[in-house]
Amino acid sequence: MGTFNKLRSRIAEALGDRELPRLTPDLTMDIAFYVGDQVIALNFAEGGAAISGESDDPQVTVRATADAWEQLLMTPPPATFHSFTALQLANPLFEIAGSPLALAKARPALERVIELVVTSPEMKAEHAQRDLRQIRGQYAVVDIDDVPHEIYYEEAGEGVPVLFLHTAGADSRQFLPQLADTELAKNYRLIAVDLPFHGRSMPPLTWDGAPYKLTASLYLKWCTAILEQVVREKAIVAGGSMGAAMSLVLAAERPEHVLGIVAIEPPFRSKGRRNPYQHNVNVHGSLHNSAYVRGIMSPLSPAGERRRSSWIYSQGAPGVYPGDLSFYSDEFDGAVTAPRIDPSRAPVALLSGDYDYSATPADGARLAELIPGCLHLVMDGLGHFPMCEHPNFFRSYLVKGLEFVRQAAR
């Protein structure tokens, strides 16, 4: 079967997906996929989707050569050929056309359709023993600049403290698999927080309702206060993405509070994550943002875990995800932060997934060059949210990172 017919067959099969109707309520749009000069016209209308005849005026087009599409159809596909948002943001072989508004409205549909077109076996990994009942959830009133903040956090286990910091726009549920890990809990005091405005941590009562914006200065204050008033002892800080960037800032600026850091998907600079429709009255933010992050997960991760990981992003408060990117995408610069880290005071482990185009293995390597003696591990087959998109496969990398820091901090 040729590339065009293979793609058409997989798109047709995708239209029977049970999840697609949930992601496309009231979507009315024509989308055209071009394989060279051949076109597959996809029509969404009245809660359904069908392949139709050639569209005269598609609102969105996805165009590439047969050779480029053939890479997407590989099992598994190479990185940047695995999702619609990867094609749009990180793959120069694909031309995506359409107004920004049309692309934003179509993103949940396109992300799911391409996810179904891509065929990848689930990466197998030994299942860790987990027990959610060992997790204790509670609140702490944390003083930050003389303003009380009601911080929700969860804790499990005993031993060396590990503070988990969630990604931009998310919350501590990303680290439930680690907090539930019964073996990890034997050696580590595992703590995961919802930052203010995230998850179960409400905004402070002094907030006047103005647009939320997370700056490096504010984020550093939050984390310093959490370490001092919640953790109450030096800890290994294990942060993902935005949390990885802040873990590097903490190692540079607050080494007296950390035993070391494990930076999960650390960026060097991540300037491409902003999107004007992450918070816009014309687009369903919950659908858009959960689809936007779905595109930086690995196709080799279990479908159920990926769906849960994106579910967290469907529940963020309006404006919080783009507000977090003020720090992650606008301010953080690894070229400035990494050279300021003294690894003798704060040992560093960097964990980079090869399907992540937001914080790539090349980013991790550039950071590693600036931090003498650090550990950098490339996690083959993992994406931007390894702790929750494939916790079993991620586990061995996390253990290596924690043990490296633990030994170096002695």
Side-chain angles (χ1 to χ4, degrees):
M1 185 184 294
T3 302
F4 175 81
N5 289 330
K6 191 187 305 183
L7 178 63
R8 192 182 192 282
S9 175
R10 291 193 189 178
I11 290 176
E13 185 177 351
L15 299 186
D17 176 50
R18 290 174 57 85
E19 185 175 6
L20 196 58
R22 180 179 68 83
L23 302 175
T24 58
D26 297 318
L27 179 66
T28 301
M29 186 172 292
D30 289 337
I31 299 170
F33 299 87
Y34 285 90
V35 182
D37 294 329
Q38 295 179 286
V39 63
I40 302 165
L42 185 58
N43 172 257
F44 284 87
E46 299 179 357
I51 294 177
S52 62
E54 184 171 347
S55 174
D56 293 331
D57 188 25
Q59 288 94 338
V60 172
T61 60
V62 182
R63 188 186 300 270
T65 65
D67 287 344
W69 280 110
E70 196 60 42
Q71 292 190 70
L72 183 142
L73 296 170
M74 291 173 62
T75 305
T80 75
F81 288 86
H82 64 285
S83 72
F84 169 72
T85 305
L87 303 182
Q88 182 190 18
L89 299 182
N91 194 316
L93 297 182
F94 282 76
E95 178 186 341
I96 313 295
S99 73
L101 179 58
L103 287 166
K105 288 182 175 180
R107 188 177 306 281
L110 285 162
E111 198 60 62
R112 181 58 178 160
V113 167
I114 295 298
E115 186 177 88
L116 292 164
V117 166
V118 166
T119 58
S120 297
E122 178 184 316
M123 277 194 311
K124 301 302 180 183
E126 182 178 351
H127 280 258
Q129 294 297 315
R130 297 189 176 92
D131 188 348
L132 288 169
R133 294 171 297 180
Q134 74 182 13
I135 302 173
R136 306 177 296 278
Q138 56 196 307
Y139 280 90
V141 179
V142 178
D143 181 82
I144 304 171
D145 284 343
D146 297 324
V147 175
H149 289 65
E150 298 160 346
I151 303 293
Y152 180 82
Y153 69 101
E154 293 180 333
E155 184 171 343
E158 297 179 351
V160 177
V162 179
L163 175 63
F164 292 108
L165 297 177
H166 58 73
T167 67
D171 58 58
S172 65
R173 286 176 292 171
Q174 291 179 320
F175 293 100
L176 279 176
Q178 289 72 48
L179 267 67
D181 191 311
T182 55
E183 287 301 311
L184 281 179
K186 291 178 181 178
N187 297 303
Y188 295 99
R189 178 189 168 206
L190 306 162
I191 305 160
V193 296
D194 290 351
L195 294 174
F197 295 84
H198 299 73
R200 290 144 291 190
S201 293
M202 300 288 278
L205 289 171
T206 55
W207 178 51
D208 63 2
Y212 166 81
K213 180 179 180 180
L214 183 61
T215 64
S217 174
L218 179 60
Y219 194 7
L220 182 59
K221 286 181 181 179
W222 284 355
C223 292
T224 301
I226 289 165
L227 284 163
E228 291 176 340
Q229 300 173 50
V230 176
V231 182
R232 296 180 183 274
E233 57 182 319
K234 294 180 72 169
I236 299 173
V237 178
S241 183
M242 176 181 87
M246 178 46 60
S247 71
L248 291 163
V249 172
L250 284 164
E253 304 292 338
R254 299 290 186 271
E256 67 275 13
H257 288 304
V258 302
L259 292 169
I261 67 166
V262 178
I264 304 163
E265 306 305 322
F268 193 79
R269 299 185 187 93
S270 191
K271 303 300 182 185
R273 293 306 297 160
R274 280 202 172 278
N275 183 297
Y277 293 98
Q278 289 161 332
H279 180 46
N280 189 292
V281 295
N282 295 293
V283 172
H284 193 311
S286 294
L287 289 174
H288 178 273
N289 294 344
S290 59
Y292 194 63
V293 299
R294 203 156 170 163
I296 46 177
M297 298 184 210
S298 167
L300 299 169
S301 294
E305 302 285 8
R306 282 184 279 157
R307 191 172 285 113
R308 278 189 169 190
S309 300
S310 67
W311 183 261
I312 294 172
Y313 272 84
S314 72
Q315 298 179 328
V320 167
Y321 183 26
D324 281 343
L325 297 179
S326 296
F327 165 73
Y328 180 67
S329 288
D330 298 346
E331 284 194 77
F332 179 75
D333 189 340
V336 174
T337 300
R340 300 180 64 182
I341 296 173
D342 179 354
S344 68
R345 298 187 66 191
V348 174
L350 308 170
L351 309 180
S352 302
D354 68 347
Y355 271 100
D356 184 0
Y357 54 83
S358 171
T360 66
D363 287 341
R366 292 177 72 187
L367 289 167
E369 290 178 358
L370 299 174
I371 308 172
C374 79
L375 174 68
H376 180 218
L377 299 176
V378 175
M379 302 181 291
D380 292 335
L382 288 177
H384 192 67
F385 306 99
M387 60 280 192
C388 50
E389 68 174 73
H390 202 334
N392 287 320
F393 197 82
F394 171 66
R395 188 181 188 280
S396 65
Y397 293 102
L398 176 63
V399 169
K400 289 175 184 176
L402 292 172
E403 286 300 306
F404 173 82
V405 171
R406 189 176 179 180
Q407 295 296 324
R410 286 181 174 176

